[in-house]
Amino acid sequence: MTATEDKLDRVAEILRSGPRVAALTGSGISAESGIPTFRGKDGLWRQFRAEELATPGAFARDPRLVWEWYDWRRGIIGGCRPNRGHRVLANWEKRFPGFVLITQNVDGLHRRAGSERVLELHGNIWEMRCPAEGTVTENRESPLPELPPRCPRCGTALRPNVVWFGESLPAETLQGAYAASAACGLMFVVGTSAFVQPAASLPLLAAERGARIVEINPDITALTEAADFSFREKAGEILPQIDARLDGGAAQ
Ligand code: NAD
């Protein structure tokens, strides 16, 4: 038995013992669907970094430029499908009572994979918000016919309903994420570089309250040291292997 197989067996055994389970995902879980991560080598758009475009200041200066970037990203995401990692987490929502999925992703792929209760900490790229009225609408048109899109009632330039650098997270969603992290006995941390706060602090809170932490990420992160189990592999490889071990004991 390899070291990885041994770890897979041990994680599956803990899962079968019935702890409360939570998962925190980042853009890495969608990488295998073809969506670039921000910090990966494919994350650049024209000469810009995400940190220069996903800000209230950038939108105030040049809403059209910011929307061109979002329109480009919506085009990529619209052509991608959920992968095996998303699907396993969607099944676990049905399998484990009280399972909570917390995501930093804005791509909506967890919902498309069948997850119904998802705490989207950073919003959703398929939603638009009117800064004047505060109203949120879903819009899946891609490409968008007009940039920036405008509120049909008041004509104000709409913004993507996502959280930008320097903005606060939606309070109720964040509360839910803190509560789930504090209450879980096992937390999966999947595909996040753990740079962006406060999401990165959730696994630390869970660990402080006694939860075991399983990290799945091809790279070492700031959270690796705090993890009880670290898989240096892709989410779409590891999650299905854990899932396969749940019914019949250790996989052969
Ligand atoms: P990040 O880009 O900082 O880090 C991605 C992490 O995923 C890296 O640590 C990388 O090693 C890992 N990774 C790459 N491929 C993987 C795979 N196949 N399986 C498992 N892990 C893999 O992303 P972040 O930590 O989510 O933070 C960046 C911010 O960017 C978040 O706020 C998020 O909202 C936003 N973002 C979202 C999307 C999306 O919705 N898909 C895409 C890019 C960025």
Side-chain angles (χ1 to χ4, degrees), residues 7 17 36 44 52 62 78 141 166 174 183 192 208:
K7 276 192 287 182
S17 72
L44 279 184
E52 295 162 25
D62 194 343
E141 273 175 293
L174 184 59
T192 175
E208 234 173 69

Short mmCIF file of all heavy atoms in Angstrom, two decimals, residues 7 17 36 44 52 62 78 141 166 174 183 192 208:
data_model
loop_
_atom_site.label_atom_id
_atom_site.label_comp_id
_atom_site.label_asym_id
_atom_site.label_seq_id
_atom_site.Cartn_x
_atom_site.Cartn_y
_atom_site.Cartn_z
N LYS A 7 -3.41 7.14 3.41
CA LYS A 7 -4.10 8.38 3.82
C LYS A 7 -5.56 8.37 3.33
O LYS A 7 -6.46 8.78 4.05
CB LYS A 7 -3.38 9.61 3.23
CG LYS A 7 -2.21 10.07 4.06
CD LYS A 7 -1.71 11.43 3.61
CE LYS A 7 -0.97 11.38 2.31
NZ LYS A 7 -0.42 12.63 1.82
N SER A 17 -17.14 7.46 10.22
CA SER A 17 -17.47 7.50 11.64
C SER A 17 -18.50 8.59 11.96
O SER A 17 -18.93 8.74 13.10
CB SER A 17 -16.20 7.69 12.48
OG SER A 17 -15.73 9.02 12.32
N PRO A 36 -9.22 29.22 -15.58
CA PRO A 36 -7.91 29.59 -15.03
C PRO A 36 -8.01 30.08 -13.59
O PRO A 36 -8.97 30.77 -13.24
CB PRO A 36 -7.44 30.74 -15.93
CG PRO A 36 -8.37 30.82 -17.07
CD PRO A 36 -9.63 30.10 -16.69
N LEU A 44 -3.54 35.71 -16.23
CA LEU A 44 -3.45 37.10 -16.71
C LEU A 44 -4.42 37.36 -17.86
O LEU A 44 -4.64 36.51 -18.71
CB LEU A 44 -2.04 37.41 -17.19
CG LEU A 44 -0.99 37.75 -16.14
CD1 LEU A 44 0.31 38.13 -16.84
CD2 LEU A 44 -1.43 38.90 -15.25
N GLU A 52 -5.82 44.29 -10.16
CA GLU A 52 -5.96 45.64 -10.74
C GLU A 52 -7.35 45.87 -11.31
O GLU A 52 -7.72 47.00 -11.60
CB GLU A 52 -4.94 45.82 -11.89
CG GLU A 52 -3.49 45.78 -11.42
CD GLU A 52 -2.54 45.53 -12.58
OE1 GLU A 52 -2.88 45.82 -13.74
OE2 GLU A 52 -1.45 44.99 -12.32
N ASP A 62 -13.13 52.96 -14.85
CA ASP A 62 -13.38 52.46 -16.21
C ASP A 62 -14.30 51.22 -16.16
O ASP A 62 -13.84 50.09 -16.30
CB ASP A 62 -12.03 52.10 -16.86
CG ASP A 62 -12.15 51.91 -18.36
OD1 ASP A 62 -13.29 51.73 -18.85
OD2 ASP A 62 -11.11 51.94 -19.05
N GLY A 78 -18.83 29.90 -19.09
CA GLY A 78 -20.06 29.39 -19.73
C GLY A 78 -19.79 28.15 -20.57
O GLY A 78 -20.67 27.30 -20.73
N GLU A 141 -26.52 35.91 -20.22
CA GLU A 141 -26.16 36.26 -21.60
C GLU A 141 -24.64 36.30 -21.76
O GLU A 141 -23.95 36.90 -20.93
CB GLU A 141 -26.67 37.66 -21.93
CG GLU A 141 -28.07 37.73 -22.45
CD GLU A 141 -28.45 39.20 -22.61
OE1 GLU A 141 -28.56 39.90 -21.59
OE2 GLU A 141 -28.63 39.62 -23.76
N GLY A 166 -10.84 44.61 -1.18
CA GLY A 166 -11.12 45.78 -0.35
C GLY A 166 -12.56 45.88 0.10
O GLY A 166 -12.90 46.76 0.89
N LEU A 174 -21.04 34.97 5.45
CA LEU A 174 -19.81 34.83 6.23
C LEU A 174 -20.12 34.25 7.61
O LEU A 174 -19.40 33.38 8.11
CB LEU A 174 -19.12 36.20 6.36
CG LEU A 174 -17.77 36.19 7.06
CD1 LEU A 174 -16.77 35.29 6.34
CD2 LEU A 174 -17.20 37.61 7.15
N ALA A 183 -18.29 24.35 13.85
CA ALA A 183 -19.08 23.19 14.28
C ALA A 183 -18.63 21.88 13.64
O ALA A 183 -19.05 20.80 14.07
CB ALA A 183 -20.56 23.43 13.95
N THR A 192 -7.38 25.91 -2.80
CA THR A 192 -7.23 27.32 -2.46
C THR A 192 -5.81 27.59 -2.01
O THR A 192 -5.22 26.81 -1.28
CB THR A 192 -8.25 27.78 -1.39
OG1 THR A 192 -7.96 29.14 -1.03
CG2 THR A 192 -8.25 26.93 -0.15
N GLU A 208 -8.82 24.88 15.36
CA GLU A 208 -8.80 25.35 16.76
C GLU A 208 -9.91 24.70 17.57
O GLU A 208 -9.74 24.41 18.75
CB GLU A 208 -9.06 26.85 16.73
CG GLU A 208 -8.05 27.71 17.43
CD GLU A 208 -8.40 29.16 17.14
OE1 GLU A 208 -9.44 29.65 17.64
OE2 GLU A 208 -7.65 29.76 16.36
#
